[in-house]
Amino acid sequence: MKNIIIFLVFSYFLLFSCEKKKTDTFNLSYIKDNKNIVLNFKNNTNTDIVFLAPNMIGFENVKNKDSQNVYAIINTDKQDKYYQKIVDSLYIKALINENMQILIDLKRPSDGHSVFYLKKDSSLKVFYKLNILRTAIPSKYKQIYHPYKRGIQENYLERDYITKFSKLNFGKAKFVLQPVIEDSLFIKVSEKDTNY
């Protein structure tokens, strides 16, 4: 009887530990359909979160590291309008501070980041339109998703405005720098997609 009680207590502790681990992550997985890349964000934490997603995802050629010709541009209206205005204004201020005002009027849909608000224990699908330029090389490509660690450490412009944005008061929500990436997405570019 004593062994059964010990086993039950241990099982309950193990189950509770696994459940706690599961509810403490912000995850990203990828889905691909014919023309879109879908980023599936899951908030398995106990709090609402605010996070940024890049407006463009590049794809890197597995063989020769070419990342200029295969990319996906965000295609959604799910951004949090209030926080999006804030991050956009911080981006413009960063351009002004670096004497790069000319880029303000030249901003493309692929530039910058989009802001999303995700309630606890919920998920969000963000769609990106896949673009394969005719100059792409037929090959296998892997997605590149390095939104903030690289940006904050290496790119002065992103480091400036993302760091300022991350320190704002988001009320009951918490800013999360980067999701846990569950997998890697590979796409195959064939000759029919290119001029080769």
Side-chain angles (χ1 to χ4, degrees), residues 144-178:
I144 307 165
Y145 188 95
H146 44 56
Y148 314 114
K149 286 194 176 171
R150 194 182 94 157
I152 286 177
Q153 290 168 3
E154 297 177 18
N155 185 315
Y156 64 90
L157 186 61
E158 288 193 353
R159 180 176 62 231
D160 180 52
Y161 79 89
I162 291 175
T163 302
K164 285 178 181 172
F165 182 77
S166 70
K167 292 177 179 175
L168 296 177
N169 178 4
F170 298 103
K172 65 177 184 175
K174 172 185 167 188
F175 180 80
V176 178
L177 190 65
Q178 182 157 347

Side-chain angles (χ1 to χ4, degrees), residues 50-114:
V50 172
F51 66 97
L52 296 168
N55 287 337
M56 184 184 79
I57 299 174
F59 285 78
E60 183 175 84
N61 189 320
V62 173
K63 292 179 184 173
N64 63 13
K65 305 302 180 192
D66 164 39
S67 61
Q68 302 301 311
N69 301 314
V70 181
Y71 60 94
I73 295 179
I74 201 163
N75 180 22
T76 186
D77 60 356
K78 297 178 181 176
Q79 293 94 333
D80 184 282
K81 305 295 187 280
Y82 175 75
Y83 289 121
Q84 189 65 52
K85 284 181 183 174
I86 294 174
V87 82
D88 289 344
S89 69
L90 289 171
Y91 175 73
I92 289 169
K93 285 178 185 173
L95 290 176
I96 292 169
N97 289 342
E98 295 298 328
N99 292 320
M100 301 166 73
Q101 293 93 324
I102 192 168
L103 296 179
I104 294 172
D105 294 331
L106 299 175
K107 188 177 179 187
R108 301 163 299 174
S110 59
D111 294 337
H113 300 82
S114 291

